[in-house]
Amino acid sequence: MSVAQRWHDFWRGQIGEWIITRGLRVVMLLIAAVLAARFVNWVAQRVTKQLDLGFAESDALVRSEATKHRQAVASVISWVSIVLIGIVVIMQIAEVLQFSVGGLVAPATVVGAALGFGAQQLVKDLLAGFFLIVERQYGFGDLVKLTIQGSTTDATGTVENVTLRVTKLRSSDGELFTVPNGQIVKSINLSKDWARAVVDIPVSTNADLNRVNEVLHQECERARDDAVLGELLLDSPTVMGVESIEVDTVTLRLVARTLPGKQFEAGRQLRVLVIRALARAGIVTAADATIGLVEDPAVPAAEAAEAAKAKDPV
């Protein structure tokens, strides 16, 4: 028998006929599923890139709340779409193979009950993630603090990814936290709509508080004129007054509304301005009293302190 005849008989046999009638359909379904999943991922990446591009080209320093929410929704939709594609393809393949699912009803019930007890946490994570996204508690780029069930410390960082099951945070140290949504007891969004920078200024009880308040008010009025700080503030900072009194220290508080997530950077810039302004006015903060009094490196700190006390007796 020739090779051509054997080849012809193979395709006319049961195996060849099965490959032509069913095998090719299964392969086509698998290829279609892979292509559909890749298409969904491509669309999600395009949406993410467009949102990031719009964010980079805009004048705002932070993403808008709508952009954060859209990016989170795009990620969830892509994940759910891939899962649905997989389920549909599996059902189509079972139909092509004429695989009867009727006989699996009883075993599936037992397995489903067993998985139900074991998958309680998974269902809890998915439901928590659904309400987290629907309620817009936080989104991509938000700075959040999460209280985790069973943990003694909070997870704080910038949201890098949100799915129905987990939230991924990048801490200031570069660590990536992956937190199941069902274990989040409380979420604190530190970059929702706007933020507040709080700056405490400790000064000596010997300082003239009226003069200190005058200097601080002048700096608050000029804060928005600063090239760096002005871009972070939503309005001029406010001097709240005396926050606390200790034995040798009086602490004054200054607050400012900032762009979301920029309160720490704005706070650092405000501290620089305040320290410089107080130094120009001859007022030294309690934390740097010894260092701040030394203007000449050749003069010891103790002598400088004694000279300052002689000039300003208690």
Side-chain angles (χ1 to χ4, degrees):
M1 184 179 294
S2 64
V3 175
Q5 185 63 34
R6 290 178 180 177
W7 183 257
H8 178 75
D9 292 343
F10 172 78
W11 287 109
R12 293 183 63 87
Q14 292 183 353
I15 298 177
E17 184 179 357
W18 184 90
I19 293 175
I20 294 173
T21 57
R22 298 182 185 178
L24 287 178
R25 291 181 62 186
V26 172
V27 172
M28 292 299 293
L29 286 171
L30 292 175
I31 293 175
V34 172
L35 292 177
R38 287 182 174 272
F39 176 75
V40 170
N41 283 329
W42 179 80
V43 171
Q45 291 175 1
R46 291 285 296 178
V47 171
T48 302
K49 287 181 180 179
Q50 288 295 326
L51 292 174
D52 288 339
L53 182 62
F55 160 66
E57 293 180 351
S58 66
D59 294 331
L61 296 180
V62 293
R63 288 179 173 88
S64 66
E65 296 300 322
T67 300
K68 297 173 187 176
H69 182 67
R70 291 192 194 105
Q71 198 162 353
V73 171
S75 175
V76 171
I77 290 177
S78 64
W79 183 80
V80 173
S81 299
I82 292 174
V83 172
L84 291 177
I85 290 171
I87 294 175
V88 171
V89 169
I90 291 175
M91 294 179 63
Q92 291 291 330
I93 292 176
E95 182 179 351
V96 170
L97 298 178
Q98 297 182 351
F99 186 77
S100 178
V101 296
L104 297 178
V105 173
T109 303
V110 177
V111 174
L115 290 177
F117 289 105
Q120 288 182 5
Q121 184 60 47
L122 177 61
V123 175
K124 182 180 179 181
D125 293 341
L126 295 177
L127 288 176
F130 172 77
F131 287 109
L132 184 150
I133 293 173
V134 170
E135 295 171 358
R136 301 190 181 190
Q137 296 181 22
Y138 52 79
F140 282 83
D142 273 331
L143 179 63
V144 299
K145 179 186 293 185
L146 303 180
T147 301
I148 305 172
Q149 183 179 6
S151 176
T152 57
T153 59
D154 296 336
T156 304
T158 303
V159 178
E160 286 199 350
N161 194 12
V162 182
T163 66
L164 285 179
R165 197 183 73 83
V166 297
T167 295
K168 294 184 179 180
L169 304 179
R170 179 76 63 177
S171 70
S172 58
D173 296 329
E175 300 171 332
L176 182 65
F177 294 99
T178 301
V179 184
N181 294 327
Q183 295 184 12
I184 299 175
V185 179
K186 180 177 66 175
S187 64
I188 301 176
N189 194 330
L190 303 176
S191 59
K192 181 74 171 178
D193 298 329
W194 58 274
R196 173 173 288 163
V198 180
V199 177
D200 289 336
I201 305 110
V203 296
S204 173
T205 53
N206 298 327
D208 185 355
L209 294 183
N210 291 329
R211 177 58 178 158
V212 174
N213 276 309
E214 181 182 350
V215 172
L216 293 180
H217 278 96
Q218 290 175 355
E219 287 304 310
C220 289
E221 293 174 359
R222 294 196 292 258
R224 302 200 69 180
D225 297 332
D226 185 82
V228 178
L229 185 59
E231 295 292 332
L232 306 176
L233 297 177
L234 294 177
D235 47 33
S236 298
T238 304
V239 179
M240 303 300 292
V242 177
E243 178 64 22
S244 64
I245 301 176
E246 297 180 6
V247 176
D248 55 354
T249 304
V250 177
T251 301
L252 292 88
R253 173 161 292 184
L254 186 151
V255 299
R257 284 203 320 143
T258 71
L259 290 170
K262 299 298 180 179
Q263 64 269 37
F264 304 109
E265 183 177 353
R268 288 190 289 268
Q269 295 294 331
L270 275 173
R271 290 184 184 93
V272 172
L273 294 181
V274 167
I275 290 173
R276 290 176 178 175
L278 293 177
R280 287 194 301 268
I283 303 169
V284 181
T285 61
D288 300 321
T290 303
I291 298 175
L293 286 170
V294 181
E295 296 181 358
D296 187 353
V299 180
E303 294 181 8
E306 292 295 332
K309 289 182 179 179
K311 293 180 181 180
D312 187 16
V314 179

